[in-house]
Amino acid sequence: MELRFDCTQCGRCCHDLRLTLSVEEARIWASSGHQVDLLAEGWAWTGAEDLADPAIAWRKATTFPATVGEVPFRINLRLVARHEGPCPHLLPDMRCGNYEARPRICRIYPLQSRPFEAMTPEKRRCPPEAWGQDLPVLQRDGLPADAQTAAILDRHRQAMIDDVPAKARLAATLDFAEAALAGEGLATCEPSPTTLLAALALSEQTQATPRSNWSIVTNRETTRAMLADLDCPVRLVATGYGFLSAFADER
Ligand code: SF4
Ligand code: SF4
C-alpha cells in the first residue's frame, strides 16, 4: 500500500515542539540556548517477556534495568527539544533557518519515528492538500519510499538504542530518578540548557553510575494505591508539574 505526500511548507510541524533528539543532537540544540527536557517512562519487567516479539525486543533495547521498590522495571529516557509556539529556528516565511543542521526527526517527518506504530495522515499535522494520489510516494507497505530518508530513519532509531547508557548516566547526574508508568504519561525533568550541557559533560567525564532505584509518579489515585500496596515508592502529582499525562488527573 502506498501513501503519497508533498510538503506544503505550512510550518505546522515546527510549532509547539517536542522533538525527540539523540544525545549529540540534544547537545547541539542546548548549545544554541534552546530547551531540552528529559522524559521518563517505565515498564514492570518480569524477565519472562517474549524477546522473539520484535516490539518487546525493541522495548528492551531502548531501556535499561532498574527496580521500583522490589519490583524489576525497565526505564526509557527520551531527550526532547521543547518549545511553545514556533521553533526558534523557524523563519517568518515558514522555512527552516537551521535546514542543514536540523535534527533527524525533522528530516523524517511526517514518517513515524518509532517502529511498530502505524503512521496515518490523521495523526500528522500536515493539511489535507499535502496528501493526494498525484503526489510523490512517501511510504510503501509501511516503509519509506526514499532510500535516503530510510537511512536517516534507521540512524534515528539506532541512536535510540545506542544512547541508552549515556541517557542513564545523564539522569543520574541530574539526580532524576522518577518515571511514569508507560501508557499513563511521562515524568519530566526540565533543566536549563546550561545545566543540561554541564550535566552531559560531567556524566561523560565521570562515567556516572546509572541509578538502579527509581520511583513512580502518577496523576491517578488508582495507580498510586496499587503501587503503594506493592511497597513501591510512588508520588501522586498533578498534570503539568513534572508530569505529562495521557489521562485526566484522578484523585
Ligand atoms: S529545526 Fe527547522 S525543521 Fe526542525 S522544527 Fe525547527 S524550524 Fe522546523
Ligand atoms: S506539517 Fe507537514 S506539510 Fe506542513 S510543513 Fe510540516 S511536513 Fe510540511
Side-chain angles (χ1 to χ4, degrees):
M1 182 187 158
E2 287 182 347
L3 203 49
R4 291 171 174 267
F5 168 85
D6 200 10
C7 177
T8 65
Q9 305 230 314
C10 68
R12 290 183 195 172
C13 60
C14 303
H15 285 75
D16 303 313
L17 305 173
R18 276 207 176 86
L19 300 174
T20 302
L21 304 176
S22 69
V23 169
E24 196 46 42
E25 289 172 333
R27 204 187 314 270
I28 293 167
W29 197 268
S31 296
S32 301
H34 305 318
Q35 182 63 36
V36 178
D37 295 344
L38 190 58
L39 311 181
E41 64 181 339
W43 289 262
W45 196 265
T46 65
E49 286 76 9
D50 179 9
L51 296 178
D53 178 336
I56 300 289
W58 167 260
R59 183 173 299 168
K60 182 164 189 276
T62 52
T63 57
F64 62 94
T67 55
V68 176
E70 298 294 320
V71 179
F73 261 71
R74 304 267 328 170
I75 304 292
N76 173 263
L77 294 169
R78 272 185 237 168
L79 283 162
V80 295
R82 172 171 59 84
H83 207 86
E84 278 82 41
C87 172
H89 294 294
L90 190 63
L91 300 174
D93 64 359
M94 297 297 131
R95 285 182 302 117
C96 175
N98 185 37
Y99 193 76
E100 294 305 323
R102 69 199 191 285
R104 281 188 284 262
I105 193 89
C106 299
R107 297 169 192 259
I108 56 183
Y109 196 86
L111 291 168
Q112 176 56 260
S113 61
R114 289 188 290 271
F116 317 113
E117 288 184 30
M119 189 277 278
T120 60
E122 302 75 50
K123 290 183 186 168
R124 291 296 180 250
R125 297 189 183 185
C126 313
E129 56 271 27
W131 311 93
Q133 285 312 308
D134 54 343
L135 297 176
V137 179
L138 173 74
Q139 180 176 285
R140 190 174 286 117
D141 297 330
L143 299 172
D146 172 60
Q148 198 178 356
T149 309
I152 295 169
L153 181 58
D154 281 349
R155 287 206 298 281
H156 175 80
R157 290 176 178 174
Q158 190 60 47
M160 297 304 106
I161 297 171
D162 295 345
D163 285 351
V164 169
K167 287 186 284 190
R169 287 195 292 271
L170 172 65
T173 305
L174 289 167
D175 201 22
F176 176 53
E178 284 189 324
L181 278 191
E184 272 201 355
L186 292 155
T188 67
C189 173
E190 303 174 4
S192 70
T194 311
T195 301
L196 182 86
L197 288 170
L200 273 171
L202 186 63
S203 64
E204 292 310 309
Q205 192 186 329
T206 62
Q207 289 292 294
T209 305
R211 285 275 298 270
S212 55
N213 298 318
W214 281 61
S215 58
I216 296 296
V217 284
T218 178
N219 67 335
R220 306 172 89 193
E221 169 55 22
T222 318
T223 301
R224 190 210 61 77
M226 182 265 293
L227 289 170
D229 279 349
L230 295 170
D231 289 330
C232 292
V234 56
R235 197 162 65 89
L236 189 64
V237 294
T239 298
Y241 296 89
F243 188 74
L244 295 171
S245 64
F247 301 96
D249 292 352
E250 176 204 283
R251 300 269 143 187

